[in-house]
């Protein structure tokens, strides 16, 4: 008779086990096995207890346990008195495949009559094995492996031995399943406990039953304080209808995915969260509660608000710059004699604006779009193209008070300073090799005075030419305060007075 790839033959007497009638010893072996399985903390302890029970109950000194590995191969996981050569030779040999249902035990009473290949028979006989049994290990859901018992001579398996083998296999299968479930549960528990997310669970009445460290950090309640309390105590009054809707969906087996809402912390403050809720089912599939994963989104909302603020600021600035650029082009066109002159004038003025606005770029760790530069830094940025002097004869010097310049003032002030510098380069001190500029900043009765004094240039021309630059200076100065121009024999002196309140705006 052939079963699962091996012929089952009843031949010859063999070593007798507990099935010969020693009922008391049989009960002792099974009791000890059950007790050891109950106390086992690791799968190795389970295997060790099973091998002892197999050998004691079935009257053999040799046995093994094999499990399906991740590739579906039946491999040795524990054994008694089997050589490494033998294990390597027969590893993977199995009468069943993973996922097979209704696997039946196979008893080979004489390997010579098994019907297997002569190579396999010779390998078994070389190990000193003449009889053996394949006993399937089944969990509540699937075939997980087998145990084997070996005899050195042909062996007849009695009905009682077969019953004992099945009893041991059932207990071993259940122990393996329990260990796997406990290992999985421990791993999941560790994952839950170490998660940064707030993970909790409730029953179907909304009473909190589980609470991880992430929940303690997010909501401020310890496990001892919160377990047993209704979850609705964490929900603002104007949002409590949400919980009733969530519980209704959970009872129907539905999931609630990434729901943005807010919850109350222990200190009474609101915390915005992204919430996912899933039903919890028992072994029979009945919904018994809900699991909840909440993630605080305060930082994300702040980042989103910051992004929107930056976009609005950028939109405002870009529109302003386009308007200024358009004005510069229109007014410069009327004064320029050739396209090249126009391009040069426009390029210079836009370059000055670009250098000024570069000072208002957000730092990499900045938190505000209202970035202010200092008065000295702004003046230096506008005059940077004219920094061609030496250490002994610098082209310009800045002294006096240094105050922050609000972003709203940067564009008009930059345009004014650029016009002063351009005129100095064309007609004033910067047009001469040894010419220079002294810029002194001071406080005058609450206003900020910028005194621009040119030295070493050609004699100043006191006549006023009404060009774009003059009109621009007059128009922009009126936005900030006032400007006075004086012609000193050493060079022109410009005093720009800015209302002090504009620096605090």
């Amino acid at each position: 008779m052939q079963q699962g790839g091996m012929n089952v033959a009843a031949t010859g007497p063999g070593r007798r086990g507990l099935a010969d009638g020693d009922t008391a010893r049989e009960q002792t072996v099974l009791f000890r096995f059950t007790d050891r399985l109950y106390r086992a903390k690791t799968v190795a302890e389970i295997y060790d207890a099973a091998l002892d029970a197999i050998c004691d109950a079935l009257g053999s000194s040799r046995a093994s346990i094999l499990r399906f590995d991740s590739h579906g191969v039946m491999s040795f996981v524990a054994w008694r008195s089997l050589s490494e050569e033998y294990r390597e030779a027969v590893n993977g040999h199995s009468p069943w495949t993973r996922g097979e249902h209704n696997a039946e035990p196979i008893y080979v009473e004489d390997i010579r009559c098994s019907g297997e290949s002569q190579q396999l028979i010779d390998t078994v006989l070389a190990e000193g094995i003449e009889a053996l049994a394949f006993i399937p290990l089944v969990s509540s859901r699937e075939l997980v492996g087998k145990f084997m018992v070996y005899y050195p001579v042909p062996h007849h398996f009695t009905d009682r031995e077969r019953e004992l083998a099945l009893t041991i296999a059932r207990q071993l299968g259940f122990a393996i399943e329990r260990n796997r479930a406990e290992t999985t549960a421990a791993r999941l528990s560790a994952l839950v406990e170490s998660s940064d997310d707030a993970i909790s669970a409730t029953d179907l009445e909304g009473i909190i039953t589980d609470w991880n460290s992430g929940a303690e950090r997010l909501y401020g309640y310890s496990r001892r304080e919160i377990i047993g309390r209704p979850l609705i105590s964490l929900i603002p009054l104007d949002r409590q209808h949400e919980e009733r809707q969530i519980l209704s969906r959970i009872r129907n087996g539905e999931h609630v995915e990434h729901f943005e809402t807010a919850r109350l912390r222990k200190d009474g403050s609101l915390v915005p969260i992204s919430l996912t809720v899933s039903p919890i089912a028992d072994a029979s599939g009945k919904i018994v509660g809900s699991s909840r994963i909440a993630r605080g989104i305060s930082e994300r909302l702040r980042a989103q608000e910051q992004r929107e603020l930056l976009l609005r600021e950028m939109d405002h600035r870009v529109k302003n710059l386009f308007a200024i650029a358009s004005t510069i082009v229109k007014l410069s066109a009327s004064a320029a004699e050739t396209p090249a002159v126009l391009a040069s004038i426009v390029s210079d003025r836009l370059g000055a604006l670009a250098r000024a606005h570069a000072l208002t770029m957000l730092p990499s760790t900045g938190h505000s779009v209202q970035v202010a530069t200092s008065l000295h830094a702004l003046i230096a940025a506008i005059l940077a193209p004219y920094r061609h002097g030496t250490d002994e004869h610098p082209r310009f010097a800045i002294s006096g008070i240094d105050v922050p310049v609000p972003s709203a003032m940067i564009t008009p002030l930059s345009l004014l300073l650029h016009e002063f510098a351009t005129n100095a380069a064309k007609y004033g001190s910067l047009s001469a090799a040894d010419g220079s500029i002294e810029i002194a900043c001071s406080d005058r009765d609450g206003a900020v005075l910028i005194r621009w004094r040119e030295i070493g240039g050609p004699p100043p021309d006191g006549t006023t030419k009404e060009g774009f630059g003059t009109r621009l200076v007059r128009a922009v100065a009126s936005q900030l305060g006032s400007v006075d121009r004086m012609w000193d024999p050493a060079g022109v002196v410009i005093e720009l007075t800015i209302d002090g309140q504009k620096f605090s705006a």
Side-chain angles (χ1 to χ4, degrees):
M1 173 182 177
Q2 186 168 359
Q3 181 177 9
M6 282 197 172
N7 288 331
V8 179
T11 59
R15 178 181 175 180
R16 298 305 180 187
L18 296 178
D20 293 332
D22 192 348
T23 304
R25 187 172 171 228
E26 173 186 310
Q27 291 176 345
T28 299
V29 169
L30 292 179
F31 174 80
R32 185 185 303 119
F33 178 44
T34 302
D35 183 64
R36 289 179 66 183
L37 289 182
Y38 175 77
R39 297 175 184 277
K41 301 298 183 183
T42 66
V43 69
E45 292 177 349
I46 292 172
Y47 293 155
D48 193 55
L51 290 173
D52 283 347
I54 293 167
C55 292
D56 289 346
L58 300 179
S60 175
S61 62
R62 309 172 84 179
S64 66
I65 300 171
L66 297 90
R67 297 277 303 276
F68 286 112
D69 63 19
S70 59
H71 302 290
V73 177
M74 188 82 81
S75 300
F76 287 90
V77 293
W79 57 87
R80 292 282 171 81
S81 303
L82 293 177
S83 68
E84 183 177 354
E85 293 78 14
Y86 176 75
R87 298 197 311 271
E88 290 180 353
V90 300
N91 196 63
H93 181 273
S94 173
W96 313 293
T97 58
R98 179 181 238 171
E100 187 170 334
H101 298 283
N102 303 317
E104 295 292 335
I106 298 173
Y107 302 94
V108 181
E109 300 185 343
D110 189 337
I111 189 63
R112 300 175 185 84
C113 304
S114 65
E116 288 293 335
S117 68
Q118 192 60 46
Q119 180 181 5
L120 180 59
I121 291 174
D122 290 343
T123 299
V124 175
L125 290 173
E127 185 70 8
I129 298 170
E130 294 191 16
L132 63 161
F134 299 73
I135 312 298
L137 301 176
V138 182
S139 71
S140 62
R141 295 172 295 177
E142 59 183 357
L143 179 70
V144 297
K146 66 181 178 181
F147 82 69
M148 298 192 68
V149 59
Y150 311 92
Y151 298 91
V153 296
H155 180 83
H156 173 67
F157 292 91
T158 66
D159 289 343
R160 186 57 187 154
E161 284 178 325
R162 296 179 185 222
E163 289 177 8
L164 285 170
L166 290 177
T167 299
I168 293 171
R170 279 193 293 269
Q171 292 193 55
L172 178 55
F174 291 150
I176 289 172
E177 182 177 35
R178 187 200 71 193
N179 177 264
R180 183 167 58 183
E182 290 176 351
T183 301
T184 300
R187 186 168 59 249
L188 289 175
S189 178
L191 287 172
V192 167
E193 192 56 31
S194 63
S195 174
D196 287 334
D197 292 334
I199 302 176
S200 59
T202 70
D203 62 19
L204 290 181
E205 301 305 317
I207 303 301
I208 298 169
T209 58
D210 292 282
W211 192 259
N212 79 335
S213 297
E216 290 185 345
R217 290 189 296 271
L218 182 64
Y219 298 113
Y221 290 97
S222 68
R223 288 183 182 85
R224 181 175 296 181
E225 290 176 305
I226 201 68
I227 288 180
R229 291 180 57 179
L231 183 73
I232 205 163
S233 62
L234 302 178
I235 304 176
L237 290 175
D238 61 344
R239 293 178 179 267
Q240 294 192 353
H241 63 283
E242 295 174 356
E243 181 61 15
R244 291 188 289 271
Q245 294 170 355
I246 289 172
L247 286 176
S248 176
R249 293 178 61 179
I250 290 299
R251 292 187 185 101
N252 292 329
E254 299 179 38
H255 294 253
V256 179
E257 299 286 350
H258 303 297
F259 173 57
E260 292 194 2
T261 183
R263 291 294 180 261
L264 287 169
R265 302 185 78 254
K266 182 180 178 179
D267 62 8
S269 62
L270 278 177
V271 55
I273 62 171
S274 175
L275 180 66
T276 298
V277 188
S278 302
I280 298 175
D282 62 14
S284 67
K286 179 183 176 182
I287 305 298
V288 294
S290 67
S291 66
R292 297 157 185 263
I293 301 176
R295 175 171 296 177
I297 57 174
S298 299
E299 290 297 325
R300 195 196 79 193
L301 293 179
R302 278 195 290 269
Q304 181 177 332
E305 183 180 352
Q306 181 77 354
R307 253 191 331 268
E308 292 174 354
L309 190 59
L310 284 170
L311 288 173
R312 288 196 298 270
E313 177 72 8
M314 188 187 341
D315 178 67
H316 173 71
R317 291 192 180 193
V318 168
K319 286 179 178 177
N320 283 349
L321 288 174
F322 275 131
I324 292 169
S326 177
T327 301
I328 289 174
V329 171
K330 288 178 182 178
L331 294 177
S332 299
S334 62
E337 298 178 355
T338 66
V341 173
L342 173 62
S344 177
I345 294 172
V346 171
S347 176
D348 288 346
R349 284 168 176 155
L350 292 181
L353 287 179
R355 290 192 301 276
H357 277 274
L359 298 174
T360 70
M361 291 296 292
L362 284 172
S364 59
T365 57
H367 299 287
S368 171
V369 297
Q370 296 298 327
V371 177
T373 187
S374 75
L375 182 57
H376 286 199
L378 181 60
I379 296 170
I382 299 302
L383 291 174
Y386 309 102
R387 192 188 298 272
H388 301 305
T390 63
D391 291 341
E392 292 79 12
H393 300 91
R395 297 292 273 174
F396 61 88
I398 307 170
S399 63
I401 65 170
D402 191 14
V403 293
V405 180
S407 58
M409 190 189 294
I410 288 175
T411 295
L413 185 54
S414 299
L415 286 173
L416 278 178
L417 294 171
H418 172 70
E419 291 306 316
F420 298 165
T422 299
N423 288 334
K426 287 181 178 180
Y427 316 112
S429 60
L430 295 182
S431 67
D434 296 328
S436 62
I437 304 173
E438 293 180 350
I439 303 102
C441 307
S442 60
D443 185 324
R444 177 183 286 178
D445 299 328
V448 175
L449 173 65
I450 302 174
R451 191 170 191 273
W452 176 289
R453 182 170 181 265
E454 298 183 17
I455 304 170
D461 182 0
T463 61
T464 301
K465 299 177 181 179
E466 183 70 20
F468 166 68
T470 304
R471 295 196 300 273
L472 178 64
V473 167
R474 188 170 59 246
V476 173
S478 65
Q479 299 177 28
L480 302 176
S482 63
V483 62
D484 293 315
R485 194 187 304 258
M486 295 163 282
W487 283 267
D488 187 272
V492 68
V493 177
I494 303 172
E495 290 189 349
L496 175 62
T497 304
I498 304 175
D499 186 350
Q501 292 183 350
K502 293 185 181 295
F503 282 93
S504 59

